[in-house]
Amino acid sequence: MKAVRYFGHKDVRVVNDLEKPVPKGDEVLLKIGGAGVCHSDLHIIDEGTIGNLVFTLGHENAGWIEAVGDTVKDYKKGDAVLVYGPWGCGHCKPCQQSKENYCDHQSELGYGGGLGLNGGMAEYMLVPSSRLLVPIFDLDPVIAAPLTDAALTPYSAIKRSLPKLMPDEYVVVIGVGGLGHVAIQILRETSGAAIIACDVTDEKLAFAKELGAAHTVNSKDPDAAEQILKITGLKKAKVILDFVGATPTIELGTKVVGMDGDLTIVGLGGGYYQYSMNGLPFGVTMTNPYWGSRTELMEVVGLARQKKIHIEIEKFDLEQANEVYDRMRHGQIKGRAVLVP
């Protein structure tokens, strides 16, 4: 079996000598249709955030069921499914609420397939429990694979703030990349707030306009905050969604968020914020959400099946994995890259 394997810091290789897994119990073997490539992979590869574990990369996975263990119910060979990314214990209170992304035992477990445990950048993937599957019905697995993160993560972040996203408010999306371009579509379909999109290239800002942003601002401009405040007026923006998470973007968010607003930092850019009493307007909530729940992934599938959102993808062969990571490092992927076995 062919797979894209992580062997430690900055060491990723495509191998062709793995045995095809055989499922038992509640395990499910998936024939992979597509595996999304995420910036989180670069944190693992370039920064060694998971250490020296050896595993198959890929945490955005979709395909068709190839075989099931002897206790699996309600799934059969050929069913098209997504793999829910965060793998919790399945038993604690958050897991019972479908929030395995906030499992009480996460520190004792691997984060999920492709994040310390074997993922889906391979011809086949062994999923440890059928509870981690979400049917996609008539969706193409190649196109649907990134829904598991690139759509689920912004959807969950936006859902937290929906009561504040009224038609007389503004929401700022910082970063129109793999997650940000989907966030704009979700906001367009689920909220009434006017969308202000920020990025550092004219191409991505034009893309944001096509997707539904009412206004765009180049966040490299020295007066980017002033440009945003000119749009919002005195009350500023009610919600900031930062899909970069670097210090400059966090600082930009603090300058333009309004009182009782939400400053939501989704990106893993390694930035920091130095708190001070007068640094944020009163009532602002600063959060760093992680992924989303399995039931929210079902809702994301609903949006995709209704054609209310789509993920811009570029397809690549498994053998091109390192080439894709290099392109990501240089900002040369529009939307999401998907590896197709």
Side-chain angles (χ1 to χ4, degrees):
M1 182 182 77
K2 188 180 296 183
V4 181
R5 299 280 279 176
Y6 172 76
F7 288 92
H9 188 211
K10 296 186 177 179
D11 187 0
V12 173
R13 294 173 241 162
V14 180
V15 302
N16 197 19
D17 58 356
L18 299 181
E19 289 188 11
K20 179 180 173 181
V22 177
K24 59 182 183 297
D26 194 41
E27 295 174 341
V28 175
L29 183 66
L30 206 64
K31 180 177 174 61
I32 292 294
V37 187
C38 178
H39 272 276
S40 298
D41 297 340
L42 293 183
H43 291 290
I44 295 170
I45 298 164
D46 296 345
E47 301 167 22
T49 54
I50 292 186
N52 292 318
L53 297 174
V54 177
F55 58 93
T56 300
L57 288 161
H59 60 270
E60 295 185 342
N61 306 303
W64 302 271
I65 291 176
E66 176 75 7
V68 298
D70 55 11
T71 65
V72 174
K73 299 178 181 179
D74 301 324
Y75 288 106
K76 64 183 185 303
K77 183 174 180 176
D79 287 347
V81 295
L82 295 177
V83 181
Y84 176 60
W87 297 352
C89 69
H91 305 292
C92 69
K93 184 176 179 180
C95 285
Q96 290 296 300
Q97 294 173 329
S98 182
K99 298 178 181 177
E100 298 200 29
N101 48 322
Y102 299 125
C103 173
D104 287 339
H105 300 279
Q106 187 182 79
S107 62
E108 303 169 336
L109 306 168
Y111 290 98
L115 297 169
L117 303 171
N118 286 330
M121 288 184 183
E123 294 174 290
Y124 296 93
M125 177 184 182
L126 186 66
V127 182
S129 174
S130 61
R131 78 172 191 278
L132 300 170
L133 303 178
V134 173
I136 57 174
F137 308 101
D138 54 348
L139 293 179
D140 179 352
V142 176
I143 297 171
L147 292 175
T148 58
D149 186 359
L152 174 58
T153 297
Y155 179 81
S156 184
I158 290 166
K159 195 173 175 182
R160 288 169 169 246
S161 297
L162 273 181
K164 296 183 178 181
L165 293 170
M166 295 295 105
D168 58 338
E169 303 290 358
Y170 291 90
V171 54
V172 177
V173 174
I174 303 176
V176 189
L179 275 67
H181 90 281
V182 187
I184 291 170
Q185 299 173 65
I186 295 169
L187 288 164
R188 181 193 69 206
E189 296 295 337
T190 63
S191 86
I195 304 166
I196 304 171
C198 299
D199 208 293
V200 296
T201 70
D202 291 339
E203 180 187 12
K204 288 190 175 180
L205 294 176
F207 186 35
K209 277 277 194 178
E210 293 174 16
L211 296 172
H215 309 274
T216 58
V217 172
N218 193 312
S219 46
K220 280 198 309 187
D221 291 348
D223 65 341
E226 288 75 14
Q227 292 182 49
I228 293 171
L229 295 176
K230 187 174 180 180
I231 297 167
T232 65
L234 186 64
K235 69 178 184 178
K236 302 184 178 181
K238 184 59 71 176
V239 176
I240 312 297
L241 295 162
D242 183 352
F243 292 101
V244 180
T247 298
T249 59
I250 294 171
E251 291 176 347
L252 175 61
T254 64
K255 292 175 182 176
V256 299
V257 66
M259 285 202 291
D260 198 31
D262 290 347
L263 177 52
T264 303
I265 303 166
V266 182
L268 302 175
Y272 63 90
Y273 171 67
Q274 183 67 43
Y275 176 79
S276 65
M277 188 65 184
N278 298 317
L280 288 172
F282 290 117
V284 168
T285 299
M286 181 181 282
T287 59
N288 61 333
Y290 174 64
W291 232 322
S293 70
R294 181 173 173 272
T295 52
E296 286 172 332
L297 182 55
M298 295 176 179
E299 294 165 9
V300 165
V301 169
L303 283 173
R305 293 188 72 205
Q306 293 180 52
K307 303 189 186 312
K308 292 184 175 180
I309 61 170
H310 76 279
I311 298 179
E312 191 85 9
I313 69 166
E314 293 186 56
K315 299 179 187 179
F316 299 89
D317 295 333
L318 282 180
E319 292 85 352
Q320 295 176 278
N322 277 305
E323 174 191 334
V324 172
Y325 285 130
D326 282 339
R327 289 183 58 177
M328 287 179 65
R329 291 183 184 99
H330 295 94
Q332 296 172 348
I333 298 291
K334 182 180 179 181
R336 208 58 155 184
V338 176
L339 299 186
V340 181

